């Protein structure tokens, strides 16, 4: 097998060549979803950061475009965001041709080498041709460094409730909130986060937006905060907070504060490979969905994974919802519905009573390197339910539910090449559950070298990558100590030709 055949995903975005990390500058305009990303085109490890660029009409098939932003004398172009300035508040364009305005962090490597603290500041750039080419603002930086070493990753959004541009950025152990009228001059409003949530590492790549609570016309504000290290299963991961915003200050919802007391932190994904994820701007004019994408890797080993030509891919873009259950708020995720357009074959099985180890599907029916599977489990007891994808070389990736010890898991110990980083698969990844259940719905999307598992309608997600020595060939389930049922099994073969 070539590297491409073995490891290049079928439908997750990867750069043709070179290094990629965080998604940046996500916006929708004129029929296209834009994805920019931290990119070093000259090597397969991190280096002087550029913004790479790709576009899609459906969030599934991506076309890579020329590099959008190059580093310059002021520094590397670190993570940031973009908005469509429909009313031309910035004056960079016109009402007829509204400018796309991006804000990014300038990271000054020269100052850094000299040992300075004030090495990160915020700059803006605009595009008058739908993000294809950009002009950096001559008066950059628009936000100077306030003598803080970590001061980065501005995420802008139009706050339609308080009629202002809003921006959040990560400042070490907290999030700073800013407002603006013209996207050029920014006023610091408040900060949030000291001694709240997880602080096992530095805070990075925030996102902040209001969301309607599913099935109601009330809304709450959601704050996403990535953190590295300190994730629930090691390395980098993204936590979230839910509360209210009065136009200046963010305060936690009381039920969410209660949840934090019990759990310390809540995470949008408990797997090890979903980091620095943020949402698309300018979507509401289309269909009101909240759309998210994350970087499908982990700073612990991102620069060591066994691909050479390129490194890293994005998660599947996901639709985010805010749900309220028994007075508690949670965010939930599902793969974008557009994935359905790529289903080339569907295999359905009604009710399977599982009394022994059972092969659910094998490669004579579907290509297991691109499938979307759903099923419901019922009659669950205090037992361990393990699903596995495996090949004839004995490589296997397992996931499932341990109801004895109350956790969901992914186990990649025997998934293929795990030698490139000591801790890649030493431990299984887990997420504990507190509420008991005897039924559970599961959705799992497989793309060659990644698994994305959505439990409980997407309220608990686990995303991980793996590197098998040949493609996976069978999907099976273990025998429990007690019989149980798999219902409404739907196996969707995906096709991208
Ligand atoms: C997160 C991050 C950001 C920074 C970027 C640099 O992965 O560390 O905080 O802007 O990567 O590439």
């Amino acid at each position: 097998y070539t590297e491409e055949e073995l490891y290049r995903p079928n439908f997750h975005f990867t750069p043709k060549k070179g290094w990629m990390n965080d998604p940046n500058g996500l916006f929708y305009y004129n029929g296209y979803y834009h994805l920019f990303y931290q990119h070093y085109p000259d090597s397969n490890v991190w280096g002087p950061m550029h913004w790479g660029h790709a576009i899609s009409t459906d969030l599934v098939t991506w076309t890579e475009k020329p590099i959008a932003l190059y580093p310059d004398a002021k520094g590397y172009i670190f993570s940031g965001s973009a908005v469509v300035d429909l009313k031309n508040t910035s004056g960079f364009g016109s009402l007829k041709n509204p400018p796309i305005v991006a804000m990014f962090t300038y990271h000054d490597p020269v100052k850094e080498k000299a040992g300075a603290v004030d090495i990160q500041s915020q700059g803006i750039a605009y595009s008058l041709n739908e993000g294809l080419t950009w002009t950096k603002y001559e008066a950059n930086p628009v936000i100077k460094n306030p003598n803080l070493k970590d001061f980065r990753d501005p995420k802008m959004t139009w706050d339609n409730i308080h009629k202002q541009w809003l921006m959040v950025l990560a400042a070490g152990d907290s999030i700073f909130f800013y407002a603006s009228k013209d996207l050029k001059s920014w006023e610091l409003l408040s900060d949030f986060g000291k001694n709240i949530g997880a602080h096992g590492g530095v805070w990075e790549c925030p996102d902040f937006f209001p969301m309607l609570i599913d099935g109601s016309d009330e809304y709450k504000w959601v704050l996403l905060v990535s953190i590295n290290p300190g994730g629930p299963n090691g390395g980098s991961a993204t936590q979230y907070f839910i509360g209210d915003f009065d136009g200046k200050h963010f305060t936690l919802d009381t039920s969410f504060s209660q949840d934090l007391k019990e759990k310390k932190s809540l995470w949008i994904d408990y797997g090890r490979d979903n980091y620095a994820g943020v949402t698309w701007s300018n979507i509401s004019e289309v269909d009101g969905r909240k759309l998210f994408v994350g970087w499908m890797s982990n700073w612990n080993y991102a620069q060591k994974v066994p691909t050479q030509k390129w490194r890293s891919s994005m998660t599947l873009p996901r639709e985010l919802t805010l749900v309220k259950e028994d007075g508690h708020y949670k965010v939930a995720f599902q793969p974008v519905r557009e994935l359905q357009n790529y289903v080339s074959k569907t295999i359905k099985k009604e009710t399977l009573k599982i009394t022994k180890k059972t092969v659910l599907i094998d490669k004579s029916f579907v290509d297991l390197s691109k499938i979307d599977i759903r099923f419901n489990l019922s009659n669950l007891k205090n037992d361990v339910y393990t699903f596995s994808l495996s090949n004839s070389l004995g490589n296997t990736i397992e996931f499932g539910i341990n109801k004895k010890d109350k956790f969901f898991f992914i186990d990649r110990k025997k998934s293929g090449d795990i030698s490139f980083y000591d801790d890649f698969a030493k431990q299984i990844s887990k997420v504990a559950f507190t509420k008991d259940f005897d039924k559970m719905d599961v959705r799992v999307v497989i793309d060659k070298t990644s698994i994305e598992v959505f439990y409980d309608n997407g309220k608990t997600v686990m995303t991980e990558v793996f590197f098998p020595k040949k493609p996976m060939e069978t999907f099976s389930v273990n025998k429990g100590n007690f019989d149980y049922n798999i219902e409404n099994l739907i196996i969707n073969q995906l096709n991208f030709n």
Side-chain angles (χ1 to χ4, degrees), residues 438-450:
D438 62 2
K439 291 183 178 62
M440 180 50 59
D441 64 88
V442 184
R443 178 166 181 187
V444 51
V445 180
I446 305 288
D447 185 4
K448 250 189 210 181
T449 44
S450 66

Side-chain angles (χ1 to χ4, degrees), residues 59-113:
L59 298 151
V60 180
T61 300
W62 292 94
T63 307
E64 203 171 310
K65 305 299 279 182
I67 287 173
L69 292 170
Y70 285 81
D72 61 45
K74 289 179 180 144
Y76 300 167
I77 312 296
F78 272 20
S79 285
S81 54
V83 290
V84 183
D85 184 12
L86 293 168
K87 294 192 182 130
N88 192 31
T89 60
S90 63
F92 288 138
S94 62
L95 285 176
K96 246 180 108 193
N97 186 25
I100 316 293
V101 180
M103 189 187 293
F104 52 84
T105 298
Y106 263 128
H107 176 96
D108 186 335
V110 182
K111 270 190 167 178
E112 183 181 28
K113 240 189 168 165

Side-chain angles (χ1 to χ4, degrees), residues 46-204:
W46 191 88
M49 283 291 113
H50 302 53
W51 275 26
H53 184 200
I55 59 170
S56 172
T57 54
D58 68 359
L59 298 151
V60 180
T61 300
W62 292 94
T63 307
E64 203 171 310
K65 305 299 279 182
I67 287 173
L69 292 170
Y70 285 81
D72 61 45
K74 289 179 180 144
Y76 300 167
I77 312 296
F78 272 20
S79 285
S81 54
V83 290
V84 183
D85 184 12
L86 293 168
K87 294 192 182 130
N88 192 31
T89 60
S90 63
F92 288 138
S94 62
L95 285 176
K96 246 180 108 193
N97 186 25
I100 316 293
V101 180
M103 189 187 293
F104 52 84
T105 298
Y106 263 128
H107 176 96
D108 186 335
V110 182
K111 270 190 167 178
E112 183 181 28
K113 240 189 168 165
V117 171
D118 59 340
I119 55 177
Q120 298 182 338
S121 60
Q122 321 312 320
I124 57 176
Y126 60 91
S127 170
L128 300 175
N129 56 10
E130 303 192 9
L132 194 62
T133 59
W134 295 81
T135 307
K136 288 174 186 147
Y137 181 45
E138 71 276 1
N140 276 339
V142 292
I143 302 179
K144 293 205 179 82
N145 187 289
N147 208 37
L148 287 173
K149 188 171 154 283
D150 297 299
F151 185 66
R152 58 177 177 270
D153 309 338
K155 177 70 165 82
M156 300 180 288
T157 190
W158 172 250
D159 171 2
N160 202 33
I161 297 161
H162 309 98
K163 309 290 176 201
Q164 58 184 350
W165 292 110
L166 256 188
M167 187 272 282
V168 285
L169 64 73
D173 61 355
S174 40
I175 301 302
F176 285 6
F177 294 73
Y178 294 81
S180 174
K181 289 192 169 60
D182 61 3
L183 296 164
K184 294 176 193 158
S185 108
W186 292 89
E187 180 200 353
L188 179 61
L189 301 172
S190 59
D191 67 311
F192 170 87
K194 280 211 166 71
N195 306 315
I196 303 173
H199 280 281
V202 68
W203 282 19
E204 299 183 320

Side-chain angles (χ1 to χ4, degrees), residues 19 21-22 24 38-39 46-47 49 77-80 105 120 152-153 170 202-205 226 228 236 275-276 295 299:
W19 166 264
N21 56 292
D22 318 353
N24 295 152
Q38 289 288 279
H39 187 38
W46 191 88
M49 283 291 113
I77 312 296
F78 272 20
S79 285
T105 298
Q120 298 182 338
R152 58 177 177 270
D153 309 338
V202 68
W203 282 19
E204 299 183 320
C205 298
S226 282
N228 178 46
S236 37
Y275 192 61
W295 174 46
W299 277 117

Side-chain angles (χ1 to χ4, degrees), residues 382-402:
N382 280 343
D383 213 341
V384 182
Y385 303 93
T386 305
F387 296 82
S388 39
L389 286 133
S390 46
N391 65 23
S392 61
L393 297 176
N395 300 153
T396 165
I397 176 97
E398 300 189 333
F399 67 96
I401 309 172
N402 182 330

Side-chain angles (χ1 to χ4, degrees), residues 186-466:
W186 292 89
E187 180 200 353
L188 179 61
L189 301 172
S190 59
D191 67 311
F192 170 87
K194 280 211 166 71
N195 306 315
I196 303 173
H199 280 281
V202 68
W203 282 19
E204 299 183 320
C205 298
D207 195 355
F208 185 57
F209 45 85
M211 280 202 82
L212 282 178
I213 302 157
D214 202 30
S216 109
D217 47 18
E218 253 184 278
Y219 66 88
K220 289 279 165 192
W221 287 76
V222 177
L223 175 67
L224 307 182
V225 178
S226 282
I227 162 173
N228 178 46
N233 284 293
S236 37
T238 304
Q239 59 183 325
Y240 67 93
F241 301 93
I242 293 167
D244 299 297
F245 183 65
D246 63 6
K248 289 202 160 97
H249 298 93
F250 176 61
T251 42
L252 283 183
D253 178 82
T254 42
S255 75
F256 197 84
S257 293
Q258 202 55 43
D259 294 343
L260 278 186
K261 270 192 199 126
E262 280 165 34
K263 299 187 176 122
K264 302 243 170 11
S265 47
L266 280 91
W267 304 85
I268 63 161
D269 197 314
Y270 290 81
R272 278 181 276 190
D273 296 294
N274 181 358
Y275 192 61
V278 284
T279 59
W280 264 273
S281 69
N282 205 42
I283 295 282
S284 52
E285 62 164 33
V286 201
D287 56 14
R289 286 188 291 175
K290 204 73 203 161
L291 298 167
F292 165 98
V293 71
W295 174 46
M296 198 157 60
S297 196
N298 188 308
W299 277 117
N300 275 352
Y301 45 75
Q303 305 188 77
K304 297 180 177 157
V305 297
T307 60
Q308 299 306 318
K309 201 167 157 195
W310 80 96
R311 275 221 178 92
S312 304
S313 88
M314 293 299 173
T315 66
L316 263 186
R318 298 172 184 180
E319 298 182 26
L320 203 170
T321 49
L322 176 60
V323 291
K324 190 178 187 182
E325 251 182 21
D326 311 325
H328 296 267
Y329 296 100
K330 266 192 162 186
V331 295
F333 291 85
Q334 286 292 334
V336 285
R337 61 193 71 161
E338 284 85 345
L339 195 60
Q340 192 65 29
N341 302 336
Y342 293 85
V343 174
S344 60
K345 177 176 172 185
T346 299
I347 295 165
K348 282 190 184 164
K349 301 193 181 180
E350 301 267 287
T351 300
L352 299 168
K353 189 165 178 178
I354 307 295
T355 56
K356 56 180 190 321
K357 184 176 159 73
T358 305
V359 171
L360 297 170
I361 196 92
D362 69 26
K363 67 169 185 188
S364 61
F365 294 95
V366 294
D367 175 353
L368 286 144
S369 73
K370 36 186 177 180
I371 44 171
D372 179 359
I373 306 174
R374 299 171 204 215
F375 53 91
N376 299 311
L377 297 169
S378 71
N379 203 24
L380 299 175
K381 303 278 169 5
N382 280 343
D383 213 341
V384 182
Y385 303 93
T386 305
F387 296 82
S388 39
L389 286 133
S390 46
N391 65 23
S392 61
L393 297 176
N395 300 153
T396 165
I397 176 97
E398 300 189 333
F399 67 96
I401 309 172
N402 182 330
K403 277 202 84 229
K404 273 191 191 148
D405 301 321
K406 290 185 183 282
F407 61 82
F408 299 107
F409 63 92
I410 291 182
D411 182 347
R412 58 184 179 191
K413 276 186 204 132
K414 294 191 207 123
S415 60
D417 189 353
I418 57 164
S419 64
F420 51 89
Y421 178 70
D422 208 32
D423 267 346
F424 182 70
K426 249 192 206 155
Q427 255 113 42
I428 68 172
S429 295
K430 298 182 189 181
V431 43
F433 50 81
T434 40
K435 243 178 47 187
D436 199 22
F437 51 83
D438 62 2
K439 291 183 178 62
M440 180 50 59
D441 64 88
V442 184
R443 178 166 181 187
V444 51
V445 180
I446 305 288
D447 185 4
K448 250 189 210 181
T449 44
S450 66
I451 176 165
E452 298 171 88
V453 196
F454 303 83
Y455 291 108
D456 197 12
N457 288 308
K459 278 172 277 178
T460 300
V461 185
M462 297 188 86
T463 302
E464 296 213 338
V465 297
F466 54 97

